[in-house]
């Protein structure tokens, strides 16, 4: 979103855990904020189209930050290779920070009723400090969402962070506030029960740093996952990720080598779009409930429900288009039929008629991934 990492799903396709992960750059006298002071470009990383490289460039031309994003195919982690490129002599002395604003378990907290608040702490390990954001509240006003679990996310790097801090969004403890006013991260290692943020300083130098957001149902699991992914070879992880998609794509029907009315360049673009579309619908399937296809992996209308307002004493739930809409599931079903993935087409068919269909024979507007009614269904 706006060149920043947003919406990371774990353990189910409807459960977002990240509002944003943005970059902050300071020279000691002023601080740049990514969405305000940088532009960005995006390009594909590898043939699948689902890994990407984003280049964030300072509007004043002083530096650029190149980040490669993918998911670890062997662990519950998002992996980022980050490189800071100074484009002027003075920018070589800048300090780079990453600020994470979590929405663990789809919660934000921070309202007057503090419904669904998150917490943050820092775990000291032999590999350096590892901040952890977490929510043990798995209960929301979505009464049918019985599959929710406590969720922890840890942020680790291939080299130790020189500085870390946890705080509350917009408050003095927030890394954004500290860097915006004093241009240094003073640190605050625990923040409980609110709208939390985590800020880390990345190691200096132009050599890439690998960051990893690791997930788990316990603190130890999240920290272990983040460290393992961050300290693994990024090239090896990318190779495994790309190979996984290549193996899947080889099971699908290939698009035509030539298309009537299109020249070779237009045909190549259409063929690339075919493979990308095939992989997007595959990635939209939940890993726990077979055939539960998210209508969309984004929230086009934004976070419409205030995270701090309790509903009957429980945190609000906002699934947006990450739920399974029968009308969209049908379209995904036809996509799988078209590209030859009959196993996933069959799984969607069985989901619609075995899990989602109502006793009167009709199909609801939408449901949770388990097929049960969502709060906003009809």
């Amino acid at each position: 979103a706006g060149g920043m990492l947003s919406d990371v799903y774990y353990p189910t396709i409807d459960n977002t855990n990240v509002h944003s992960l943005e970059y902050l750059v300071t020279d000691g006298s002023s601080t740049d904020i990514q969405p305000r002071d940088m532009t960005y470009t995006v390009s594909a990383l590898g043939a699948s189209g689902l890994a990407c490289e984003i280049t964030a460039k300072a509007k004043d031309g002083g530096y650029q930050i190149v980040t490669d994003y993918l998911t670890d195919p062997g662990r519950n982690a998002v992996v980022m290779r980050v490189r800071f490129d100074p484009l002027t002599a003075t920018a070589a002395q800048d300090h780079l920070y990453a600020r994470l604003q979590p929405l663990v378990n789809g919660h934000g907290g921070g309202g007057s009723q503090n419904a669904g608040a998150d917490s943050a702490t820092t775990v000291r390990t032999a590999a350096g400090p590892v901040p952890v954001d977490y929510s043990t509240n798995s209960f929301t006003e979505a009464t049918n969402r019985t599959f929710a679990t406590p969720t922890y996310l840890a942020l680790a790097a291939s080299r130790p962070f020189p500085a870390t801090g946890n705080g509350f969004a917009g408050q003095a403890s927030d890394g954004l506030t500290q860097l915006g006013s004093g241009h240094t991260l003073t640190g605050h290692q625990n923040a409980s029960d609110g709208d939390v943020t985590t800020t880390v300083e990345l190691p200096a130098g132009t050599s890439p740093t690998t960051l990893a957001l690791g997930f788990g149902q316990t603190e130890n699991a999240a920290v272990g996952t983040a460290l393992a992914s961050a300290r693994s070879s990024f090239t090896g992880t990318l190779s495994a990720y790309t190979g996984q998609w290549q193996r899947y794509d080889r099971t699908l029907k290939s698009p035509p080598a030539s298309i009537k009315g299109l020249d070779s360049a237009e045909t190549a673009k259409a063929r690339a779009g075919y493979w990308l579309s095939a992989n997007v619908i595959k990635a939209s399937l939940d890993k726990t409930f077979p055939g539960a296809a998210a209508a969309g992996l984004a929230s086009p209308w934004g976070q419409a429900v205030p995270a701090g307002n309790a509903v009957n004493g429980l945190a609000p739930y906002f699934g947006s288009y990450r739920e399974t809409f029968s009308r969209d599931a049908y379209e995904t079903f036809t996509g799988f039929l078209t590209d030859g993935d009959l196993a996933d087409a069959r799984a969607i068919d069985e989901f619609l008629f075995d899990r989602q269909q109502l006793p009167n024979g009709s199909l609801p507007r939408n449901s949770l991934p388990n097929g049960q009614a969502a709060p906003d269904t009809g």
Side-chain angles (χ1 to χ4, degrees):
M4 302 176 291
L5 178 69
S6 180
D7 283 325
V8 180
Y9 306 104
Y10 169 90
T12 49
I13 201 74
D14 65 330
N15 196 50
T16 185
N17 295 280
V18 173
H19 175 276
S20 61
L21 191 152
E22 64 183 328
Y23 292 123
L24 310 172
V25 176
T26 181
D27 60 6
S29 60
S30 64
T31 297
D32 286 358
I33 303 171
Q34 184 176 358
R36 184 190 68 190
D37 301 308
M38 305 177 204
T39 61
Y40 72 94
T41 56
V42 184
S43 59
L45 182 66
S48 73
L50 297 186
C52 68
E53 180 175 276
I54 297 182
T55 301
K57 188 173 183 179
K59 290 181 179 179
D60 66 7
Y63 59 83
Q64 66 181 19
I65 306 165
V66 182
T67 310
D68 297 331
Y69 295 90
L70 52 81
T71 54
D72 189 331
R75 303 180 183 93
N76 292 316
V78 172
V79 186
M80 298 154 276
R81 178 172 57 185
V82 186
R83 189 182 77 243
F84 182 80
D85 294 335
L87 304 178
T88 64
T90 55
Q93 306 304 314
D94 289 352
H95 292 258
L96 173 63
Y97 296 82
R99 175 181 178 265
L100 172 66
Q101 187 165 3
L103 293 172
V104 187
N105 255 342
H107 303 150
S112 60
Q113 300 177 72
N114 214 19
D118 293 334
S119 296
T121 189
T122 298
V123 177
R124 303 294 172 179
T125 75
V130 177
V132 180
D133 299 290
Y134 61 94
S135 170
T136 57
N137 176 14
S138 57
F139 300 98
T140 70
E141 44 100 16
T143 55
N144 290 324
R145 207 168 175 273
T146 56
F147 51 87
T149 66
T151 299
Y152 294 76
L153 67 92
L155 181 60
S158 52
R159 296 179 287 165
F161 297 122
T164 64
N166 301 306
F168 297 101
Q171 305 302 310
S173 56
D174 187 350
L176 177 60
T177 303
Q178 295 171 6
L179 289 165
S181 57
H183 314 298
T184 186
L185 185 64
T186 58
H188 180 82
Q189 299 309 317
N190 294 290
S192 299
D193 199 33
D195 184 5
V196 301
T197 65
T198 289
T199 306
V200 297
E201 182 180 0
L202 274 68
T206 56
S207 298
T209 298
T210 300
L211 291 179
L213 270 179
F215 293 82
Q217 294 182 20
T218 65
E219 179 180 275
N220 286 342
V223 170
T225 295
L227 284 172
S229 291
R231 301 177 78 180
S232 295
S233 162
F234 183 88
T235 301
T237 303
L238 175 59
S239 177
Y241 181 84
T242 303
Q244 170 186 264
W245 282 108
Q246 289 175 334
R247 288 190 295 275
Y248 173 69
D249 288 345
R250 284 196 291 268
T251 69
L252 305 180
K253 296 177 181 177
S254 295
S258 61
I259 302 174
K260 185 177 181 180
L262 299 184
D263 61 27
S264 57
E266 293 170 329
T267 298
K269 184 177 181 180
R271 285 174 57 87
Y274 172 92
W275 292 116
L276 177 59
S277 298
N279 291 343
V280 164
I281 60 174
K282 176 66 172 177
S284 300
L285 292 173
D286 187 66
K287 306 297 191 295
T288 301
F289 300 101
L297 295 180
S299 297
W301 313 120
Q303 183 70 34
V305 180
N309 294 339
V311 179
N312 297 321
L314 296 172
Y317 167 76
F318 183 66
S320 187
Y321 285 94
R322 297 180 290 267
E323 295 168 347
T324 300
F325 287 69
S326 54
R327 66 192 184 209
D328 298 276
Y330 170 77
E331 300 292 346
T332 305
F333 163 83
T334 62
F336 285 128
L337 282 183
T338 299
D339 67 28
D341 184 350
L342 300 185
D344 282 323
R346 185 177 298 108
I348 291 177
D349 181 74
E350 292 173 348
F351 177 89
L352 291 174
F353 292 108
D354 292 346
R355 287 184 177 270
Q356 197 180 66
Q357 188 176 33
L358 301 175
N360 66 4
S362 67
L363 289 168
R365 171 178 176 267
N366 59 314
S367 74
L368 301 170
N370 62 357
Q372 299 299 305
D376 61 343
T377 194

